[in-house]
Amino acid sequence: MTTAVLRRRYERQHRARRVGVYTAAIIAALLCAGPFVWSAITAFKQNRDLYNPDSNPFWFNRPPTPDHVTYLFTDTGFLTFAWNTLWVGILVVVITLALGLPAAYALARLDRPWSGAMGIGIFLVYLVPPSLLFLSLSRMVVGIGLQDSTWSLVLVYPTITIPVSIWLLMGFLKTIPRDIEEQAMVDGYSRLGAFTRAVIPLLFPGIVAVVVFAFTLTASEFIYALSFVAPTDSMTVSTGVPTQLVRGDVFFWQSLQAATVLVAVPIAFVFNLFLDKFVAGFTAGAVKG
């Protein structure tokens, strides 16, 4: 068999493998995007189209209408809910990083004999069901006087985000060679200066992961948000939207789906902006860079 024949066979196999990979990627992307596409289409459907069992759920069988999206903005407190979710999420992220970064660094870098056991213990705290902590946290919120205030969520949510964030950051810190930090200290930096100037830039992918995790948990958490905050103007999206769009046995499905898309898409877009940094955190290239 000649070299030219072998080369053509290799090229055909290579093209076939690439076509298979791209086909699988496209199918996976469609499956993942399917719920969001369905939600976006549903948000603009007429009632007669949505509730007709013969209609195609992925297509407009009647002309689309923006009335249900308009209703979400004009007849509900969606913008207030979104603002409350945003500022609570930002504060929770700041608190999580302020406490999680030093704790993760101490457990991953200072080589204390109890570091491993304490790291596992901190992670196990995250696995405790919220229902078991509900009564104790409720008494704490009432004792401080934060009931029916979004500040109660700022106080409670870090108890969920900090343990798992410490565990995540410890994993990222262990991928960064100690030589980088030690060299910075040899050059005259203190341990804090070496951590700030040499470690944090390489830890950026892990920080992005913690930010995304903490903010998405804040936006989606339901039990504490429903229990601690009763006034409508203090609710977050997770409780305010279903409270105003689910009335007895009446579901405003189109407006509910519009709210889902409006909350999920911006978070996904921001995460996609830092996707390369996030992926780099799991490769040796992030350390060499």
Side-chain angles (χ1 to χ4, degrees), residues 81 84 147-150 225 228-236 239-240:
F81 304 150
N84 291 337
Q147 65 273 20
D148 291 335
S149 169
T150 45
F228 297 154
V229 180
T232 301
D233 57 354
S234 298
M235 289 183 175
T236 57
T239 55

Side-chain angles (χ1 to χ4, degrees), residues 21 36 77 99 101 121 123 127 136 148 185 190 200 204-205 212 218 244 264:
V21 170
F36 295 98
L99 299 179
L101 273 172
F123 179 73
L127 302 180
S136 58
D148 291 335
M185 296 176 67
S190 63
I200 285 185
F204 184 70
V212 171
T218 301
Q244 295 203 352

Side-chain angles (χ1 to χ4, degrees), residues 211-231:
V211 169
V212 171
F213 165 78
F215 190 86
T216 53
L217 185 143
T218 301
S220 61
E221 199 281 326
F222 183 78
I223 296 178
Y224 294 143
L226 181 65
S227 303
F228 297 154
V229 180

